[in-house]
């Protein structure tokens, strides 16, 4: 049984429950006889290569519990995408600090980093267990049923659309809400939880899993608007045109690219304004509004799915448990049992690293621009119940003046 | 004592607690011996002139309590701005339905409508009591200490910025959040509640009460970024340049105007993108992001200030109480007593109608682009406590490789 220090780091975009995983891991590590000190690297892997490392071993439990409920990576994050050289350096630093258990909390890139680091350690004969702790509001990791962080972001998105639909009932018009999601539409699709009865919005949902056509978009909106006198639309920032190219990359003047060569999607209102303009130019609808939900959906203080929070805590503690009992590297994954319990297991790093998972075809009906009942059944337990709302139901008063 | 029917309507932009006022008024009216039937006009005053009126008298209390907790005008709203002719028609319809108590829930324009309707009724000798029930997330009504709807929107804005600041700590950059507010900066200023310790964002706040200068903006951001390695900025959609012109009206290609001749500010990401570009062009900061909070801040389901909710209920019930006991028209206003209780009183309609109230100079320090302690003391009881958050506090690990 490998004995030594543990190091944990957080990578990629934050979530509101990511620190539940951090605290879950710290508390479990405190109870492990195989783990001596519990280190935390600042700003993900970049904190490792720069040796910006804190000793988290002695943080009191009451402080940890407050941190667990605080949104966004408490150890701070990085967008660095480590190559072989970078990972070699990581292993050197881990070795210098006698780190035998390395936990990296992030998405598919973080899983890939774990894999590379694990291979590098093997190469130089340094015994190291590298565990990927899953996290992403995009919900696009392979193997796992769903990802910690997604349920809470989905709760934010669905509560936003529930309010927006009521707003648009009150002052009719067309509303476009742009939701995060480059390659997978899970989060945008979750807006459908706002629909509790016939006629509720969002009425149309466009995701990267379908191909976006301006012509169909205009037809779809026209039909809904004629039927309901309003139209509420949820759109993924990553929607693609018929060439498979992100629509936003066809309209941005100054494109910005990340370390992975992807064009920057968030932090601009361009896509919403572009789609608004299409509708204003094509349809005789005066009131067309677009909002881009932006960073609110991943970091808003106080909107948290209870189930998501519990699971985020568990993947952290399970990471430590699996690493110490199974004595091997891997990625923690969630298995859905019945409707609704979960079980956790360790899956090989290579099954999660690099690639992502789009929504399966049975979750989305491209023709109707709407999610299926199967998707609703999938997503509902992850988000939990939304606050109850009600509409006025009352008899009309007989007219006295107008016939 | 005037006896007859009551009619209530909702005007202008919705809030998340506006139906508390509706339900407060309905419940109080049910208990009044002077009020027979309780009518509700659909879509504000336009529902009166079109005789689209519901009879709300028999809605069961449990249904009313659900409606009270539902965001956005349950009776639906209107942007109509009634002139004399329109108001004459309103009085005709009210008379035809023997309405003696007219309640209009809205902002300063709704108060103005009440005033006109009251005068028209006087002119034709029809006895009518017209009561304005205050509501606006802009918090810009005269006389009243603050406005129902504001506290909850302020809670949304401050929780958003609290999360955003943590997000920007995690992945550093500059963040611009555009908040609603055409003439008054109260809502944008409320973002300062997110600051709980030195260094917390928002670091800069720009409101319509100050004049916005690009040069100062760039200098301000540069200074903050150099100090904290990030900069979180709250900006009112209505910020004005040195000519007093809204900045957004200098950048929009296709301007849209409302019934009051005001240029449409919300529902577009243009201002945020414009401000981002200024910073990208002037400063060597790669990561600049802008979000426009849009309709989320006034209709988001589930983020409600308890105090705001209670007060919104009270202004509705007080409206009925004042109308029946005082037997005169007026606008319900809130008086702040100590720290913190409230009292309600009726103020003449002409003291609230038409004009709005900007933030008083002692609430905002234009030079520092920041609110004052006085503003914080003013706004805090209206919003209530935000969820507690905490940062990691732990010793650094001694470096073994880097000197």
């Amino acid at each position: 049984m490998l004995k030594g220090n543990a190091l944990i780091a957080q990578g990629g975009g934050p979530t509101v429950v990511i620190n539940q995983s951090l605290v879950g891991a710290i508390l479990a590590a405190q109870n492990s006889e195989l783990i001596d000190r519990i280190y935390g690297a600042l700003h993900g892997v970049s904190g490792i290569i720069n040796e910006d490392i804190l000793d988290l071993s002695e943080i009191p439990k009451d402080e940890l519990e407050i941190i667990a409920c605080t949104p966004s990576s408490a150890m701070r994050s990085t967008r660095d995408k480590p190559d072989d050289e970078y990972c070699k350096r990581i292993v050197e630093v881990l070795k210098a600090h006698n780190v035998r258990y390395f936990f990296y909390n992030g998405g598919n890139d973080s899983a890939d980093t774990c894999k590379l680091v694990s291979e590098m350690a093997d190469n130089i004969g340094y015994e190291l267990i590298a565990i990927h702790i899953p996290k992403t509001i995009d919900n696009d990791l392979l193997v796992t049923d769903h990802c910690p962080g997604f349920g809470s972001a989905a709760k934010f998105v669905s509560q936003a659309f529930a309010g927006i639909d009521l707003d648009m009932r009150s002052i009719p018009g067309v509303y476009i809400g742009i939701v995060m999601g480059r390659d997978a539409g899970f989060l945008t699709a979750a807006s459908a939880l706002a629909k509790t009865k016939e006629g509720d919005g969002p009425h149309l949902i466009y995701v990267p899993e379908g191909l976006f056509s301006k012509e169909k978009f205009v037809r779809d909106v026209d039909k809904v608007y004629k039927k309901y006198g309003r139209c509420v639309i949820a759109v993924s920032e990553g929607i693609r045109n018929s060439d498979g190219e992100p629509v936003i990359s066809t309209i941005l003047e100054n494109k910005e690219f990340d370390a992975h060569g992807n064009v920057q999607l968030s932090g601009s209102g361009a896509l919403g304004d572009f789609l608004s303009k299409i509708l204003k130019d094509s349809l005789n609808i005066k009131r067309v509004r677009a909002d881009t939900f932006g960073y609110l959906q991943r970091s808003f203080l106080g909107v948290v799915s209870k189930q998501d929070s519990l699971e985020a805590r568990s993947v952290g503690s399970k990471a430590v448990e699996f690493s110490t009992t199974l004595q091997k590297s891997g990625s923690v994954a969630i298995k859905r049992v019945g409707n609704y319990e979960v079980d956790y297991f360790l899956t090989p790093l290579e099954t999660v690293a690099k690639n992502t998972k789009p929504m399966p075809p049975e979750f989305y009906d491209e023709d109707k621009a709407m999610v299926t009942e199967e998707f609703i059944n999938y997503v509902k337990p992850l988000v939990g119940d939304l606050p109850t709302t009600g509409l006025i139901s009352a008899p009309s008063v007989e007219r006295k003046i107008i016939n």
Side-chain angles (χ1 to χ4, degrees), chain A residues 85-97:
Chain A
E85 200 53 41
Y86 197 115
C87 288
K88 207 177 138 192
R89 170 77 178 179
I90 289 175
V91 174
E92 277 169 20
V93 175
L94 295 180
K95 189 178 173 186
H97 291 274

Side-chain angles (χ1 to χ4, degrees), chain A residues 81 249 256 270 304 327 347 387:
Chain A
K81 168 97 189 94
S249 70
E256 210 178 288
V304 179
Q327 291 287 304
T347 180

Side-chain angles (χ1 to χ4, degrees), chain A residues 53 74 93 145 148 153 165 173 190 203 215 234 259 264 298 310 349 354 359 366-367 376 402:
Chain A
I53 299 170
V93 175
D145 177 76
D165 189 47
H203 307 94
E215 294 69 31
Q264 169 65 30
R298 77 179 191 194
L310 287 170
L349 288 166
K354 275 191 180 163
M359 283 205 293
E366 186 170 0
D367 187 48
I376 296 292
I402 299 175

